[in-house]
Amino acid sequence: EVREFLSGEETEEVMRLGEEQGLHASEGVMQSRDVEAGTKHNQFRTSKQAWLGNSLSPLIATLDLRVSDLTRVPASHNEQVQLLRYGEGQYYHAHMDWTELELYDNQKELWISSHFGFQDRLATVFWYLNDVEEGGETSFPKHGQPICEPASRGGERTRLCPGAFDPDMKSCDGGLRVPPRKGSVILWYNFHPSGRGDRNSLHAGC
């Protein structure tokens, strides 16, 4: 967590820009089993969102460079800012910010767009734009679990091992829970140095 990463004026301006763009119902990328089951997006994600590009405002461009200084990743690799609003009782069930391609079989377009796993979200910088009295936490339910087969580049044995398990994706109990603090950001990396996705980066909006 990095506190006071954004000033109070900056958080207010980012929210204003989002309002101007218009907020729409968030949609995730569904795993193949959910597609086959006819799962609706609002069964696991109920926030609203807008995308804010650097050309929208000098502030967004400034924050883009500030994020790059934090992550040590060139700003040219950054995505647009994804602004999310969670109303009372809204949520985003546990998910990864990288793509476990084996869970997306028969989705050829996704495999191609991610360059077969070689183009994905290396790191996530999550901004908190306001304070709330209760809730609004980012949960990491696999926090503290061991890394399975740490020397391996992948495979079935990297998913489950003694002490490692997949939690209830709908639950916000257990693990590490980070409360929102206006102007703060949290940073986590979605991949191990080997290039393998980090399953312990599983997180949820509660």
Side-chain angles (χ1 to χ4, degrees):
E1 180 183 18
V2 181
R3 299 187 182 183
E4 299 181 354
F5 189 83
L6 295 91
S7 69
E9 293 78 11
E10 289 171 337
T11 62
E12 295 297 327
E13 177 65 8
V14 171
M15 288 190 286
R16 186 189 69 79
L17 291 168
E19 291 282 1
E20 284 187 353
Q21 289 295 98
L23 295 163
H24 306 280
S26 301
E27 293 188 354
V29 180
M30 288 196 188
Q31 297 176 8
S32 294
R33 65 182 180 184
D34 291 319
V35 174
E36 294 167 1
T39 302
K40 305 298 184 184
H41 287 283
N42 62 11
Q43 290 179 250
F44 64 90
R45 187 177 190 182
T46 58
S47 60
K48 292 186 176 181
Q49 70 178 41
W51 292 93
L52 311 179
N54 286 355
S55 61
L56 186 64
S57 165
L59 173 60
I60 300 301
T62 296
L63 294 175
D64 191 43
L65 292 174
R66 193 180 300 170
V67 166
S68 180
D69 287 341
L70 174 65
T71 61
R72 302 302 181 185
V73 175
S76 60
H77 292 247
N78 290 352
E79 301 177 33
Q80 291 187 342
V81 173
Q82 182 181 181
L83 179 70
L84 299 174
R85 172 187 286 170
Y86 289 89
E88 184 176 355
Q90 292 188 318
Y91 55 83
Y92 191 177
H93 289 163
H95 61 283
M96 307 286 193
D97 279 357
W98 60 278
T99 309
E100 290 187 277
L101 286 175
E102 64 267 29
L103 302 180
Y104 298 85
D105 55 329
N106 301 321
Q107 297 193 57
K108 179 180 178 181
E109 299 80 7
L110 180 62
W111 284 65
I112 293 174
S113 66
S114 68
H115 290 249
F116 296 88
F118 286 94
Q119 181 172 308
D120 217 326
R121 188 176 293 170
L122 171 64
T124 301
V125 180
F126 201 95
W127 309 357
Y128 293 112
L129 301 178
N130 53 14
D131 295 310
V132 296
E133 293 183 4
E134 185 178 0
E137 297 167 323
T138 305
S139 170
F140 296 86
K142 287 177 69 67
H143 173 72
Q145 291 190 16
I147 298 171
C148 301
E149 298 284 336
S152 172
R153 294 294 298 274
E156 188 64 28
R157 291 183 301 175
T158 66
R159 296 181 60 82
L160 300 174
C161 61
F165 58 92
D166 286 333
D168 179 356
M169 300 299 180
K170 299 179 181 180
S171 175
C172 288
D173 297 329
L176 174 67
R177 300 175 67 173
V178 182
R181 183 177 285 106
K182 184 176 181 177
S184 293
V185 301
I186 55 175
L187 162 66
W188 68 87
Y189 289 89
N190 298 305
F191 288 85
H192 296 293
S194 66
R196 185 182 114 202
D198 185 357
R199 301 198 76 250
N200 286 10
S201 67
L202 186 77
H203 58 285
C206 300

